Amino acid sequence: MNTSDIQITPIQQSKINSVDFNNLAFGAVFSDYMFECDFKDGSWQKPKIKPYGPISLDPSARVFHYGQAVFEGMKAYKDDNDDIFLFRPDENFKRINKSAERLAIPAFPEDYFFNGLTQLLKLEKDWIKKGLGNSLYIRPFVIATQPAISASPANEYKFMIILSPAQAYYSGEVKVIFSEKYSRSADGGVGFAKAAGNYAAQFYPTKLANEKGYQQIIWTDASTHNYLEEAGTMNIFFRVGDTLITAPNNDRILDGVTRKSVIQIAKDNNIDVEVRRVSVAEIKEAARKGALKEIFGSGTATVINPIVAFSHGGEDFDLPKQEKSYASFFKEKLTSIQYNISEDPYGWRFKI
């Protein structure tokens, strides 16, 4: 499929001039167009790009009753020459289909995805603002639309891409709780998938943490709660001494694009990296001895998010401020590639 195969319905008038790009709440403002493609009769139909707006679904659409929904998160960046770039979009494409497979949703074709996204971003190029920290957040997602409430996979789906302008994501000083009771996911489950229900299940325990003054939870393994895994919408890294430690991927942990990029950059800059199980006891002991230098999360929205303190078992631990932190080093390396400021030795940039 090429871009000429996409049916485009033009907008009557852009709403871009009504948007205050200096005061954007993350994920609350959306661009003029959206991409849409339906699956029915055993195949994906002709894709469409049309004005952003409500969609009509039957109340019995299976997404409402059985949660067949997966999504992705990506960003588009603009450099000083007005060129537009994506960051490792092949990884997002592979992951949404991996997520879809786990929820018995048909795979979306690669040419539909990339040609549709390319055409959409070209139409919306004015929504991508220049300047470090500015970006256009991209949300591809798939939902089950078949009107039937029998408990089985749907035979009709809708694949969509919506766009939201974003500024630098900063949530202030982040304090976390190491989970002792609730679990994000379990062995054999859907933790590795970006399934909508994964995030809904986090909201209640995170609300409890918020009420105690903590912004996030670092989830522990469901079996013993002895091993640290990931935090909220982020993968998690620990710096003990000068060694960077992160939990290995498994069927409970999301295979983060930023995570794997951090690991690669660390290795190429002679930073020792250990991808292994990380115990709560080990991190608490390192904190007591002063060996725990940093904890930070990684993800598409935040890039790198430093954590300043954690709590577990009634004990609170503050982390020392680092003059030359790993968190700031990785954030600078990643954003320099994303915004076409530096060379890209990895081939991670994808030009639109």
Side-chain angles (χ1 to χ4, degrees):
M1 185 198 79
N2 56 49
T3 51
S4 63
D5 296 323
I6 302 171
Q7 179 184 325
I8 300 176
T9 303
I11 55 169
Q12 303 248 322
Q13 184 177 356
S14 176
K15 59 192 176 190
I16 194 168
N17 291 331
S18 67
V19 176
D20 182 358
F21 283 88
N22 295 315
N23 293 287
L24 293 169
F26 184 79
V29 175
F30 296 92
S31 68
D32 290 321
Y33 288 99
M34 61 186 187
F35 175 90
E36 181 179 289
C37 187
D38 291 314
F39 182 92
K40 58 184 179 181
D41 301 325
S43 64
W44 290 101
Q45 307 298 302
K46 182 170 181 170
K48 302 172 184 176
I49 291 177
K50 61 186 189 180
Y52 180 92
I55 58 174
S56 178
L57 290 177
D58 195 285
S60 63
R62 293 198 186 196
V63 64
F64 299 137
H65 304 275
Y66 304 110
Q68 270 189 296
V70 298
F71 66 94
E72 265 303 320
M74 310 163 62
K75 282 182 178 179
Y77 310 89
K78 185 179 281 185
D79 70 7
D80 289 339
N81 297 318
D82 288 325
D83 289 325
I84 299 167
F85 298 92
L86 302 175
F87 182 73
R88 307 189 76 175
D90 54 318
E91 295 289 343
N92 298 99
F93 170 73
K94 287 187 286 189
R95 193 170 63 184
I96 197 169
N97 277 342
K98 183 180 178 184
S99 299
E101 181 180 23
R102 181 61 181 84
L103 271 72
I105 295 171
F108 196 65
E110 185 172 6
D111 57 342
Y112 279 38
F113 181 85
F114 280 99
N115 289 329
L117 181 54
T118 297
Q119 183 66 30
L120 185 63
L121 290 173
K122 285 180 176 178
L123 285 169
E124 302 286 51
K125 62 183 185 296
D126 292 340
W127 288 82
I128 312 170
K129 299 302 182 182
K130 288 187 285 193
L132 203 61
N134 294 321
S135 62
L136 188 64
Y137 187 81
I138 302 165
R139 171 51 59 89
F141 63 99
V142 194
I143 57 173
T145 55
Q146 182 191 1
I149 54 172
S150 56
S152 59
N155 58 29
E156 294 179 6
Y157 298 88
K158 188 180 290 291
F159 184 101
M160 300 189 71
I161 304 174
I162 56 177
L163 308 173
S164 178
Q167 293 177 295
Y169 188 94
Y170 178 68
S171 55
E173 292 195 340
V174 175
K175 297 181 179 181
V176 300
I177 291 179
F178 291 176
S179 179
E180 297 177 67
K181 177 182 178 182
Y182 295 101
S183 300
R184 179 188 177 276
S185 58
D187 292 339
V190 295
F192 70 89
K194 282 187 80 73
N198 285 353
Y199 298 83
Q202 293 185 44
F203 294 158
Y204 175 68
T206 302
K207 174 177 172 286
L208 298 180
N210 294 161
E211 289 170 354
K212 294 179 181 178
Y214 299 90
Q215 287 72 44
Q216 288 278 7
I217 297 171
I218 295 185
W219 302 100
T220 48
D221 68 294
S223 302
T224 68
H225 294 293
N226 290 333
Y227 293 93
L228 296 155
E229 300 205 319
E230 63 180 18
T233 58
M234 304 183 294
N235 294 115
I236 202 79
F237 288 87
F238 304 89
R239 177 186 174 187
V240 178
D242 288 331
T243 300
L244 198 63
I245 308 169
T246 191
N249 285 336
N250 53 42
D251 56 12
R252 301 183 305 275
I253 296 177
L254 188 71
D255 184 14
V257 177
T258 310
R259 171 190 177 274
K260 63 179 68 177
S261 305
V262 166
I263 292 170
Q264 186 64 57
I265 291 170
K267 289 178 177 177
D268 292 346
N269 285 272
N270 300 313
I271 295 173
D272 289 334
V273 185
E274 296 179 3
V275 181
R276 60 169 176 80
R277 298 182 83 188
V278 188
S279 73
V280 173
E282 171 190 1
I283 296 303
K284 290 176 73 173
E285 185 61 18
R288 291 189 189 103
K289 291 180 175 178
L292 180 65
K293 304 299 184 186
E294 295 178 71
I295 303 175
F296 59 86
S298 67
T300 297
T302 184
V303 186
I304 301 291
N305 196 339
I307 290 165
V308 300
F310 72 91
S311 176
H312 179 269
E315 292 183 274
D316 295 309
F317 299 87
D318 292 317
L319 274 71
K321 290 196 185 312
Q322 301 294 324
E323 194 172 311
K324 293 184 178 179
S325 71
Y326 280 5
S328 59
F329 171 79
F330 289 119
K331 186 164 189 174
E332 190 275 330
K333 286 284 187 184
L334 286 164
T335 54
S336 291
I337 293 173
Q338 291 166 342
Y339 287 89
N340 195 28
I341 295 168
S342 69
E343 292 298 313
D344 175 16
Y346 307 104
W348 289 342
R349 268 196 305 262
F350 179 93
K351 189 174 181 179
I352 295 297

